[in-house]
Amino acid sequence: MNRLSRVFVAGHRGLVGSAITRRLHGEGFENLLMAGREQLDLRDQAAVTYWFRANRPEYVFLVAGTVGGILANSTRPAEFIYDNMLIHATVVHAAHVFGVTKLLYLGSSCIYPREASQPMREDALLTGALEPTNAPYAVAKIAGITLCDAYRKQYGSDFISAMPTNLYGPNDNFELTSSHVLPALIRKCHDARTAGRRDVTIWGSGSPKREFLHVDDLADACIFLMRRYSVGGHVNVGTGEDLTIRELAEMVRAEVYPEAELLFDASKPDGAPRKLLDIGRLRDLGWHHRISLREGIASTYQWFLDHHHEARLGPSSSPGDKS
Ligand code: GFB
């Protein structure tokens, strides 16, 4: 892949796609291909086939999908499985039909069993039951990995899969009913500070542990893998470090609103107790993340402040809000 390659970033407006696009633009890529939702419905095989025939991408970053946090996953399971299964299948198939040189598919760490031993190695896949709050999404993601492997086996396609941990950064979703925890905490602390109230409600017990990777580090890893990795199966992408949701909330509070008082709403689900990735495989290839969590929270809050008006926000959190 070089500056003249025809590179399709499927999902270029999302958190991950926008980071990859930013990075490739920064490297001087001249032939980036993108298609907005209104232009191309990635769930429609005929439309995707037509688009690939017309645009002939050589490299594909398949980072499009319907995504969301624990609440969105548990309340909209049909959308999460239907949209993602179709998007993965249509793009992988078109990439095969039109002889794409290489495709990178992006999964998620929720593919691993709920009780997988920690840190979770790549070979823990399909060794136990999934976390129920996101099982439909995880099944679609597992199908995506299997698709890439099947096309590699039957047709020799160079399709690879990367499994990132929980992500955050610029262009994240700050809308409280669908966002992930980190942007939700930034938003909740910000709203409380702006409204002049102290209480900030955190969902669940605060004891689950999560690992967080800045999306610019993920974009770096994806481009690294696109250039240097051509093996079936999948490779974990993370930092190798995790913390409790309570510790995360304290870090966000320190950055956004040190006077806030954190309350915990036990009626909300905790989800998986822990999801730390084993990143040995990626480390052996020579990749390491660069952005610390503290630095990433600060820059993401700054991004939120700078883009407040265009960011995905939805209604603000209000006193005693438990959503
Ligand atoms: O980020 P999150 O929604 O996703 O939640 P998962 C992580 C943890 O933070 C859970 C807690 O224990 C939540 O209960 N939490 C505390 C909050 N306060 C909040 C809040 O205000 N908003 C949110 N969203 N969480 C998702 C999966 O799991 O992670 C997806 O549902 C995907 O399938 C994604 O894998 C990366 O880490 O629990």
Side-chain angles (χ1 to χ4, degrees):
M1 188 177 69
N2 61 46
R3 290 193 304 112
L4 298 178
S5 306
R6 297 175 66 75
V7 182
F8 176 34
V9 182
H12 71 283
R13 288 191 187 136
L15 174 67
V16 176
S18 61
I20 292 176
T21 307
R22 217 167 33 243
R23 169 65 185 272
L24 293 174
H25 268 140
E27 286 194 18
F29 275 69
E30 292 170 17
N31 295 309
L32 290 187
L33 303 167
M34 291 166 241
R37 205 170 281 211
E38 64 295 341
Q39 195 185 345
L40 174 62
D41 182 351
L42 290 171
R43 298 169 303 180
D44 179 345
Q45 183 73 70
V48 171
T49 300
Y50 183 88
W51 191 92
F52 268 71
R53 183 179 292 118
N55 291 283
R56 300 283 173 167
E58 296 168 281
Y59 294 86
V60 175
F61 288 92
L62 177 44
V63 297
T66 293
V67 298
I70 192 164
L71 187 69
N73 260 272
S74 34
T75 53
R76 293 162 37 211
E79 279 172 62
F80 277 79
I81 189 162
Y82 177 81
D83 289 357
N84 289 307
M85 280 199 332
L86 289 181
I87 290 171
H88 305 157
T90 59
V91 176
V92 164
H93 187 66
H96 155 64
V97 169
F98 292 97
V100 160
T101 307
K102 191 161 180 177
L103 173 146
L104 179 139
Y105 167 72
L106 199 72
S108 162
S109 60
C110 67
I111 58 165
Y112 293 112
R114 176 184 161 86
E115 305 297 341
S117 64
Q118 306 285 323
M120 304 182 293
R121 286 163 34 130
E122 284 86 352
D123 59 13
L125 188 66
L126 295 173
T127 56
L130 296 165
E131 156 59 33
T133 54
N134 59 30
Y137 178 70
V139 166
K141 287 286 168 193
I142 294 169
I145 303 172
T146 312
L147 260 175
C148 291
D149 285 346
Y151 278 70
R152 175 177 289 277
K153 188 169 176 201
Q154 185 172 347
Y155 305 120
S157 313
D158 194 0
F159 296 168
I160 62 171
S161 300
M163 290 308 118
T165 187
N166 290 36
L167 304 168
Y168 70 97
N171 282 319
D172 211 336
N173 173 12
F174 292 87
E175 193 278 312
L176 293 173
T177 60
S178 56
S179 61
H180 291 100
V181 62
L182 199 153
L185 294 178
I186 289 181
R187 169 83 188 281
K188 286 179 173 177
C189 287
H190 175 84
D191 283 356
R193 196 184 74 173
T194 312
R197 63 186 159 77
R198 304 277 287 256
D199 60 298
V200 169
T201 304
I202 316 296
W203 294 351
S205 63
S207 59
K209 297 188 91 175
R210 293 290 185 272
E211 175 186 8
F212 296 93
L213 179 72
H214 192 283
V215 73
D216 286 346
D217 276 333
L218 176 74
D220 185 62
C222 289
I223 291 163
F224 173 94
L225 289 168
M226 189 63 114
R227 289 186 165 132
R228 308 209 202 160
Y229 191 75
S230 284
V231 181
H234 58 282
V235 54
N236 290 338
V237 185
T239 64
E241 297 153 18
D242 63 358
L243 76 175
T244 64
I245 295 301
R246 177 186 290 273
E247 288 164 338
L248 175 74
E250 287 166 357
M251 280 178 87
V252 172
R253 172 174 67 178
E255 182 60 36
V256 179
Y257 186 27
E259 295 76 24
E261 187 192 340
L262 304 178
L263 307 176
F264 291 84
D265 175 4
S267 71
K268 288 287 190 301
D270 269 346
R274 197 177 181 196
K275 301 196 277 190
L276 180 63
L277 291 177
D278 181 314
I279 51 164
R281 186 176 287 180
L282 189 56
R283 221 169 238 177
D284 289 348
L285 291 167
W287 189 86
H288 197 285
H289 78 284
R290 295 201 188 97
I291 305 170
S292 72
L293 183 56
R294 200 168 297 280
E295 204 186 323
I297 289 171
S299 61
T300 302
Y301 183 44
Q302 190 55 51
W303 184 91
F304 174 82
L305 292 174
D306 294 344
H307 296 81
H308 211 169
H309 301 296
E310 67 216 54
R312 285 175 280 169
L313 290 181
S316 60
S317 52
S318 49
D321 178 20
K322 302 239 165 113
S323 65

